[in-house]
Amino acid sequence: MIVQQLASTVWDANLYLKFADARMRPALDLMGRLDPANGRRPGHAIYDLGCGAGNISRVLAERFTESRVIGIDSSDEMLAKARMQTPDKRVTFAKGDLAAFKPEAPPSVLYSNAAYQWLPDHIDLFPGLMRRLPSGGQLAIQMPRNHDAPSHALMHKAAEAGPWRDKLAGIGGIARVHEPARYYDTLKPLSSELEVWETIYQQALTGKDPVAQYTASTGLRPFLEALDPSERTAFYETYARMTAEAYPTRADGITLFPFRRLFIVARRA
Ligand SMILES: C[S@@+](CC[C@H](N)C(=O)[O-])C[C@H]1O[C@@H](n2cnc3c(N)ncnc32)[C@H](O)[C@@H]1O
């Protein structure tokens, strides 16, 4: 089953959604810091940057009932799913690359959950995003910062542990997310209020190879995509064995997967 799912070389919307609950919590924690007044600016829109299947875009629309919500993503598969699952006409989706994002309507909020870590040099884009906001508007970004965890180190260890070694040499996975203070220093000159914080979530996963399945839809993808189907299966199984040892299943069937995330909420001066 997992091997069939991994055969997709595009964003696998189904695999990603399997963990929607565990991933929804940080999205809501970020949303909790948004100012309701930013949902009541006539002619403005709340943007969900890297919206994926639109799960969070729909929650933004429920919470900010007077605002348009526009989801942007580069994946046709994710956008198709988002459109199919979103009957609310206040929520629209458009294809776009976050590296070259230009809003079609003036933004009151630029919100992004778990997307900018895919862009190298994403920090250089953030001042430009701030400048697109009106005074009082908010930039709200959440990114995983878990690259020091065993789940990430084991990707590289598994990459070196088989005949696929040469094909996987040099694959970096997700771009490094910097120290929190670096984002603070970058955004402070443009902000009237600025919060930067980290939370480590003790994610409670269930099922077979839960940590490997979790990362298969995110950080492990560049490794899987570099291999042909038979090698992909063997590589995945090697990685799954390693993660099962590092993250043992508890007596109640739960596997705890500690996961660090960085949050940034900046209000435009
Ligand atoms: C981990 S998903 C997060 C989806 C959604 N924000 C959520 O929290 O459910 C990351 C999303 O970022 C999108 N993405 C990655 N790089 C992108 C880029 N350069 N431009 C636009 N979208 C991008 C992917 O297509 C994917 O849908």
Side-chain angles (χ1 to χ4, degrees):
M1 179 63 171
I2 181 74
V3 174
Q4 274 171 359
Q5 287 173 331
L6 298 180
S8 166
T9 56
V10 291
W11 270 100
D12 192 320
N14 291 321
L15 187 55
Y16 185 77
L17 289 176
K18 181 166 183 266
F19 295 100
D21 284 349
R23 290 188 168 121
M24 186 62 95
R25 168 113 189 256
L28 297 178
D29 289 349
L30 181 66
M31 206 181 293
R33 302 305 299 156
L34 295 180
D35 181 352
N38 275 324
R40 295 192 292 264
R41 285 184 190 252
H44 287 66
I46 294 175
Y47 279 85
D48 183 7
L49 301 173
C51 62
N55 296 17
I56 320 288
S57 319
R58 290 188 290 280
V59 181
L60 282 165
E62 277 167 27
R63 194 162 286 192
F64 298 95
T65 53
E66 293 167 54
S67 180
R68 280 180 71 191
V69 175
I70 304 174
I72 305 287
D73 205 281
S74 54
S75 156
D76 287 321
E77 197 197 4
M78 284 291 189
L79 288 170
K81 198 146 209 152
R83 290 191 180 107
M84 204 173 66
Q85 293 177 344
T86 313
D88 186 343
K89 295 278 177 285
R90 261 188 317 120
V91 188
T92 54
F93 297 97
K95 188 167 179 173
D97 180 357
L98 298 187
F101 169 67
K102 287 197 180 63
E104 57 166 85
S108 58
V109 171
L110 294 171
Y111 172 100
S112 179
N113 187 59
Y116 272 97
Q117 73 279 4
W118 286 104
L119 283 81
D121 306 324
H122 56 254
I123 194 167
D124 298 337
L125 299 170
F126 292 173
L129 292 177
M130 282 294 273
R131 290 195 184 92
R132 295 202 176 271
L133 289 165
S135 176
Q138 287 172 296
L139 175 69
I141 289 177
Q142 186 276 117
M143 294 178 285
R145 213 172 84 81
N146 213 39
H147 30 60
D148 291 335
S151 56
H152 271 247
L154 292 175
M155 290 177 196
H156 296 282
K157 198 166 168 200
E160 285 164 15
W164 46 76
R165 188 180 303 113
D166 290 345
K167 282 188 195 160
L168 300 184
I171 290 187
I174 291 175
R176 264 193 107 73
V177 175
H178 308 290
E179 290 291 316
R182 198 154 154 207
Y183 296 95
Y184 185 93
D185 291 342
T186 300
L187 291 169
K188 185 66 184 171
L190 295 162
S191 306
S192 60
E193 291 168 24
L194 178 58
E195 291 180 296
V196 181
W197 76 97
E198 287 187 313
T199 302
I200 300 176
Y201 294 87
Q202 298 293 325
Q203 300 189 143
L205 306 183
T206 54
K208 188 173 178 298
D209 311 334
V211 173
Q213 286 222 24
Y214 186 100
T215 58
S217 69
T218 56
L220 196 64
R221 288 182 60 247
F223 295 88
L224 297 167
E225 287 174 359
L227 298 173
D228 58 44
S230 61
E231 273 185 329
R232 188 179 292 155
T233 305
F235 166 73
Y236 173 81
E237 283 169 358
T238 302
Y239 175 69
R241 257 195 317 279
M242 290 177 173
T243 52
E245 264 173 43
Y247 300 93
T249 303
R250 321 200 82 74
D252 63 354
I254 293 290
T255 302
L256 288 179
F257 181 27
F259 205 99
R260 179 190 296 265
R261 293 177 182 276
L262 172 72
F263 295 78
I264 302 163
V265 180
R267 191 189 285 274
R268 179 80 166 105

